[in-house]
Short mmCIF file of all heavy atoms in Angstrom, two decimals:
data_model
loop_
_atom_site.label_atom_id
_atom_site.label_comp_id
_atom_site.label_asym_id
_atom_site.label_seq_id
_atom_site.Cartn_x
_atom_site.Cartn_y
_atom_site.Cartn_z
N PHE A 1017 -17.62 -4.99 2.48
CA PHE A 1017 -17.96 -6.41 2.45
C PHE A 1017 -16.83 -7.25 3.02
O PHE A 1017 -17.06 -8.23 3.74
CB PHE A 1017 -18.28 -6.84 1.02
CG PHE A 1017 -19.37 -6.04 0.37
CD1 PHE A 1017 -19.09 -5.16 -0.66
CD2 PHE A 1017 -20.67 -6.15 0.81
CE1 PHE A 1017 -20.09 -4.41 -1.25
CE2 PHE A 1017 -21.69 -5.41 0.24
CZ PHE A 1017 -21.40 -4.53 -0.80
N LYS A 1082 -15.91 -5.86 -5.95
CA LYS A 1082 -17.23 -5.88 -5.33
C LYS A 1082 -17.84 -7.28 -5.38
O LYS A 1082 -18.40 -7.77 -4.41
CB LYS A 1082 -18.14 -4.86 -6.03
CG LYS A 1082 -19.45 -4.58 -5.28
CD LYS A 1082 -20.54 -5.59 -5.57
CE LYS A 1082 -21.69 -5.46 -4.61
NZ LYS A 1082 -22.74 -6.48 -4.85
N TRP A 1083 -17.73 -7.94 -6.53
CA TRP A 1083 -18.30 -9.28 -6.68
C TRP A 1083 -17.67 -10.25 -5.69
O TRP A 1083 -18.39 -10.95 -4.96
CB TRP A 1083 -18.08 -9.79 -8.11
CG TRP A 1083 -18.35 -11.25 -8.25
CD1 TRP A 1083 -19.57 -11.87 -8.19
CD2 TRP A 1083 -17.39 -12.29 -8.42
NE1 TRP A 1083 -19.43 -13.24 -8.33
CE2 TRP A 1083 -18.10 -13.52 -8.47
CE3 TRP A 1083 -16.00 -12.31 -8.54
CZ2 TRP A 1083 -17.45 -14.74 -8.63
CZ3 TRP A 1083 -15.36 -13.53 -8.72
CH2 TRP A 1083 -16.08 -14.72 -8.76
N TRP A 1084 -16.36 -10.30 -5.64
CA TRP A 1084 -15.71 -11.31 -4.81
C TRP A 1084 -15.96 -11.09 -3.33
O TRP A 1084 -16.29 -12.02 -2.59
CB TRP A 1084 -14.20 -11.33 -5.10
CG TRP A 1084 -13.47 -12.35 -4.28
CD1 TRP A 1084 -12.56 -12.11 -3.29
CD2 TRP A 1084 -13.61 -13.77 -4.36
NE1 TRP A 1084 -12.12 -13.29 -2.75
CE2 TRP A 1084 -12.75 -14.34 -3.40
CE3 TRP A 1084 -14.37 -14.62 -5.16
CZ2 TRP A 1084 -12.64 -15.70 -3.21
CZ3 TRP A 1084 -14.25 -15.99 -4.97
CH2 TRP A 1084 -13.39 -16.51 -4.00
N THR A 1085 -15.83 -9.84 -2.86
CA THR A 1085 -15.98 -9.59 -1.43
C THR A 1085 -17.41 -9.76 -0.97
O THR A 1085 -17.66 -10.27 0.13
CB THR A 1085 -15.49 -8.17 -1.09
OG1 THR A 1085 -16.16 -7.21 -1.92
CG2 THR A 1085 -13.99 -8.04 -1.31
N SER A 1086 -18.39 -9.37 -1.77
CA SER A 1086 -19.79 -9.52 -1.35
C SER A 1086 -20.22 -10.98 -1.36
O SER A 1086 -20.94 -11.42 -0.45
CB SER A 1086 -20.71 -8.68 -2.24
OG SER A 1086 -20.68 -9.12 -3.58
N GLU A 1087 -19.80 -11.73 -2.36
CA GLU A 1087 -20.13 -13.16 -2.38
C GLU A 1087 -19.49 -13.88 -1.19
O GLU A 1087 -20.11 -14.76 -0.58
CB GLU A 1087 -19.63 -13.78 -3.69
CG GLU A 1087 -20.39 -13.33 -4.94
CD GLU A 1087 -21.69 -14.10 -5.14
OE1 GLU A 1087 -21.88 -15.14 -4.50
OE2 GLU A 1087 -22.52 -13.63 -5.96
N LEU A 1088 -18.27 -13.50 -0.84
CA LEU A 1088 -17.57 -14.13 0.28
C LEU A 1088 -18.25 -13.81 1.60
O LEU A 1088 -18.48 -14.70 2.43
CB LEU A 1088 -16.12 -13.65 0.30
CG LEU A 1088 -15.23 -14.20 1.41
CD1 LEU A 1088 -15.14 -15.72 1.34
CD2 LEU A 1088 -13.84 -13.59 1.33
N ALA A 1089 -18.60 -12.54 1.82
CA ALA A 1089 -19.28 -12.17 3.06
C ALA A 1089 -20.61 -12.90 3.20
O ALA A 1089 -20.98 -13.34 4.30
CB ALA A 1089 -19.50 -10.66 3.10
N GLN A 1090 -21.32 -13.06 2.11
CA GLN A 1090 -22.57 -13.81 2.14
C GLN A 1090 -22.34 -15.26 2.55
O GLN A 1090 -23.08 -15.81 3.38
CB GLN A 1090 -23.24 -13.74 0.77
CG GLN A 1090 -24.63 -14.34 0.73
CD GLN A 1090 -25.23 -14.24 -0.67
OE1 GLN A 1090 -24.93 -15.06 -1.53
NE2 GLN A 1090 -26.06 -13.23 -0.88
N ARG A 1091 -21.33 -15.89 1.98
CA ARG A 1091 -21.03 -17.29 2.34
C ARG A 1091 -20.69 -17.43 3.81
O ARG A 1091 -21.11 -18.38 4.48
CB ARG A 1091 -19.85 -17.80 1.50
CG ARG A 1091 -20.23 -18.27 0.11
CD ARG A 1091 -19.12 -19.12 -0.48
NE ARG A 1091 -17.98 -18.32 -0.88
CZ ARG A 1091 -16.72 -18.62 -0.62
NH1 ARG A 1091 -16.43 -19.69 0.10
NH2 ARG A 1091 -15.73 -17.86 -1.06
N VAL A 1092 -19.91 -16.49 4.35
CA VAL A 1092 -19.53 -16.56 5.76
C VAL A 1092 -20.76 -16.44 6.66
O VAL A 1092 -20.92 -17.18 7.63
CB VAL A 1092 -18.50 -15.45 6.09
CG1 VAL A 1092 -18.21 -15.42 7.59
CG2 VAL A 1092 -17.20 -15.69 5.32
N LEU A 1123 -26.39 -8.57 0.12
CA LEU A 1123 -25.01 -8.16 -0.11
C LEU A 1123 -24.61 -8.26 -1.57
O LEU A 1123 -23.82 -7.46 -2.07
CB LEU A 1123 -24.05 -9.00 0.75
CG LEU A 1123 -24.20 -8.87 2.26
CD1 LEU A 1123 -23.18 -9.75 2.96
CD2 LEU A 1123 -24.04 -7.42 2.70
N THR A 1124 -25.14 -9.27 -2.26
CA THR A 1124 -24.79 -9.46 -3.68
C THR A 1124 -25.72 -8.68 -4.61
O THR A 1124 -25.63 -8.82 -5.83
CB THR A 1124 -24.82 -10.95 -4.03
OG1 THR A 1124 -26.11 -11.48 -3.72
CG2 THR A 1124 -23.77 -11.71 -3.25
N SER A 1130 -24.35 -9.26 -8.51
CA SER A 1130 -23.20 -10.07 -8.91
C SER A 1130 -23.21 -10.34 -10.41
O SER A 1130 -22.15 -10.38 -11.05
CB SER A 1130 -23.20 -11.40 -8.14
OG SER A 1130 -22.85 -11.19 -6.78
#
Side-chain angles (χ1 to χ4, degrees):
F1017 304 110
K1082 192 276 168 182
W1083 167 70
W1084 180 247
T1085 54
S1086 63
E1087 291 278 345
L1088 179 60
Q1090 186 180 82
R1091 278 197 287 134
V1092 174
L1123 297 180
T1124 56
S1130 288

